[in-house]
Amino acid sequence: MNCNEFVELVTEFLEGALPEGDERRFIEHLAECSGCETYLDQFRQTIATTGELTPDSISSDARQQLLTAFRNWQRQ
């Protein structure tokens, strides 16, 4: 597994939704890559700080801005 694949799977990993083989590869990569270890730690800290967002907890304008930002980020 490379770092890009790792980043794509972080949410599923934290939700316990990865298939067994993918989870094993994820953990093996994590053991060898300090950058991804830091990324996962930062992701966990962000979740702890912001809590869980629900569709009703943010305005439709804020939701649209977040979706646009994520879509534009992937194009770069």
Side-chain angles (χ1 to χ4, degrees):
M1 175 173 296
N2 65 38
C3 296
N4 288 334
E5 292 171 316
F6 180 92
V7 168
E8 292 292 324
L9 297 175
V10 166
T11 301
E12 290 177 72
F13 173 76
L14 291 174
E15 292 174 349
L18 280 179
E20 186 177 324
D22 288 340
E23 183 174 352
R24 181 180 37 76
R25 290 176 48 235
F26 186 95
I27 292 170
E28 288 171 356
H29 179 83
L30 186 60
E32 298 175 359
C33 182
S34 63
C36 285
E37 182 179 12
T38 299
Y39 179 81
L40 181 60
D41 185 48
Q42 290 172 342
F43 207 95
R44 286 179 169 145
Q45 288 177 22
T46 299
I47 291 169
T49 301
T50 60
E52 184 176 320
L53 292 177
T54 62
D56 296 332
S57 68
I58 60 173
S59 70
S60 60
D61 288 341
R63 184 179 189 283
Q64 190 58 45
Q65 288 175 1
L66 285 170
L67 289 172
T68 299
F70 284 118
R71 286 181 187 125
N72 290 340
W73 172 78
Q74 288 186 345
R75 291 183 187 142
Q76 296 177 6

